[in-house]
Amino acid sequence: MFAETLNSWIGLEKTGLGTTENGVKSILEYWDGKIYTQGLSLTDGSGLSRTNRISAKNLCSLLKYMYSSKNQEAFLSTLPITGKSGTLESFCKGQCSQGKIQ
Protein backbone atom coordinates (compact mmCIF):
# COMPACT_ATOMS: atom_id res chain seq x y z
CA MET A 1 0.00 0.00 0.00
CA PHE A 2 2.79 2.42 0.89
CA ALA A 3 4.73 1.70 -2.31
CA GLU A 4 1.60 2.23 -4.41
CA THR A 5 0.88 5.51 -2.63
CA LEU A 6 4.46 6.69 -3.10
CA ASN A 7 4.27 5.79 -6.78
CA SER A 8 1.05 7.81 -7.20
CA TRP A 9 2.57 10.72 -5.27
CA ILE A 10 5.53 10.76 -7.66
CA GLY A 11 3.06 10.84 -10.55
CA LEU A 12 1.23 13.75 -8.93
CA GLU A 13 4.43 15.71 -8.34
CA LYS A 14 5.75 15.17 -11.87
CA THR A 15 2.55 15.39 -13.95
CA GLY A 16 -0.15 16.93 -11.77
CA LEU A 17 -2.20 13.73 -11.80
CA GLY A 18 -1.44 11.09 -9.19
CA THR A 19 -2.11 7.88 -11.04
CA THR A 20 -0.23 4.60 -11.05
CA GLU A 21 0.52 5.05 -14.75
CA ASN A 22 1.95 8.57 -14.26
CA GLY A 23 4.06 7.40 -11.34
CA VAL A 24 5.50 4.48 -13.30
CA LYS A 25 6.16 6.71 -16.33
CA SER A 26 7.94 9.26 -14.13
CA ILE A 27 10.08 6.61 -12.46
CA LEU A 28 11.11 5.09 -15.79
CA GLU A 29 11.94 8.55 -17.17
CA TYR A 30 14.08 9.27 -14.10
CA TRP A 31 16.15 6.09 -14.47
CA ASP A 32 16.50 6.29 -18.26
CA GLY A 33 20.13 7.09 -19.03
CA LYS A 34 21.25 6.41 -15.45
CA ILE A 35 20.89 2.63 -15.38
CA TYR A 36 20.39 -0.19 -17.87
CA THR A 37 16.64 -0.16 -18.58
CA GLN A 38 16.32 -2.41 -21.62
CA GLY A 39 13.60 -4.97 -20.89
CA LEU A 40 12.59 -3.24 -17.65
CA SER A 41 8.81 -3.18 -17.35
CA LEU A 42 6.93 -1.64 -14.44
CA THR A 43 3.15 -1.80 -14.14
CA ASP A 44 2.60 -0.77 -10.54
CA GLY A 45 4.44 0.71 -7.59
CA SER A 46 4.40 -2.30 -5.29
CA GLY A 47 6.09 -4.81 -7.57
CA LEU A 48 3.23 -7.27 -7.14
CA SER A 49 1.92 -7.12 -10.71
CA ARG A 50 2.55 -10.23 -12.79
CA THR A 51 3.53 -7.96 -15.67
CA ASN A 52 6.44 -6.30 -13.85
CA ARG A 53 9.77 -7.39 -15.32
CA ILE A 54 13.27 -6.66 -14.05
CA SER A 55 16.33 -8.59 -15.16
CA ALA A 56 19.42 -9.35 -13.13
CA LYS A 57 21.25 -6.86 -15.36
CA ASN A 58 18.66 -4.15 -14.54
CA LEU A 59 18.99 -4.82 -10.81
CA CYS A 60 22.80 -4.95 -10.85
CA SER A 61 22.88 -1.70 -12.80
CA LEU A 62 20.63 -0.06 -10.19
CA LEU A 63 22.71 -1.35 -7.28
CA LYS A 64 25.94 -0.23 -8.94
CA TYR A 65 24.48 3.23 -9.54
CA MET A 66 23.26 3.54 -5.95
CA TYR A 67 26.57 2.32 -4.51
CA SER A 68 28.55 4.87 -6.50
CA SER A 69 26.14 7.76 -5.98
CA LYS A 70 26.77 10.80 -3.79
CA ASN A 71 24.02 9.44 -1.51
CA GLN A 72 25.81 6.15 -0.92
CA GLU A 73 25.60 6.38 2.87
CA ALA A 74 21.86 7.08 2.80
CA PHE A 75 21.36 4.08 0.50
CA LEU A 76 23.54 1.74 2.57
CA SER A 77 21.75 2.77 5.77
CA THR A 78 18.52 1.26 4.36
CA LEU A 79 20.06 -2.20 3.93
CA PRO A 80 20.06 -4.83 6.70
CA ILE A 81 23.36 -6.21 8.04
CA THR A 82 23.95 -9.92 8.68
CA GLY A 83 23.59 -10.86 12.32
CA LYS A 84 22.77 -7.28 13.30
CA SER A 85 19.66 -5.74 11.74
CA GLY A 86 16.47 -6.10 9.76
CA THR A 87 15.67 -9.23 7.77
CA LEU A 88 19.27 -10.46 8.12
CA GLU A 89 19.40 -10.14 11.90
CA SER A 90 19.14 -13.90 12.51
CA PHE A 91 21.56 -14.84 9.71
CA CYS A 92 25.27 -15.52 10.30
CA LYS A 93 25.16 -14.87 14.04
CA GLY A 94 28.42 -16.00 15.59
CA GLN A 95 29.95 -16.71 12.19
CA CYS A 96 32.83 -14.98 10.43
CA SER A 97 30.40 -13.22 8.05
CA GLN A 98 28.39 -11.61 10.87
CA GLY A 99 28.23 -7.88 10.24
CA LYS A 100 30.08 -8.16 6.92
CA ILE A 101 27.21 -8.61 4.47
CA GLN A 102 24.81 -5.80 3.80
Side-chain angles (χ1 to χ4, degrees):
M1 179 176 81
F2 296 110
E4 288 291 348
T5 302
L6 179 60
N7 180 66
S8 294
W9 179 73
I10 290 169
L12 178 65
E13 289 293 312
K14 295 296 180 183
T15 70
L17 186 60
T19 64
T20 298
E21 294 79 15
N22 286 346
V24 166
K25 181 181 174 190
S26 298
I27 290 168
L28 290 173
E29 286 174 358
Y30 174 81
W31 287 115
D32 189 40
K34 293 180 175 81
I35 67 168
Y36 180 81
T37 58
Q38 187 175 348
L40 178 63
S41 175
L42 302 178
T43 304
D44 64 0
S46 68
L48 296 175
S49 172
R50 299 175 107 187
T51 57
N52 287 330
R53 301 284 185 267
I54 183 167
S55 70
K57 190 170 184 175
N58 297 138
L59 184 57
C60 287
S61 176
L62 172 65
L63 292 172
K64 185 177 177 181
Y65 176 86
M66 293 303 294
Y67 187 76
S68 63
S69 76
K70 64 181 178 181
N71 296 317
Q72 180 191 45
E73 287 304 316
F75 168 64
L76 291 176
S77 73
T78 67
L79 301 176
I81 301 171
T82 52
K84 293 189 175 189
S85 64
T87 55
L88 297 179
E89 186 174 6
S90 63
F91 289 87
C92 304
K93 283 201 174 211
Q95 298 177 17
C96 64
S97 56
Q98 179 175 335
K100 295 180 181 175
I101 301 171
Q102 193 169 19

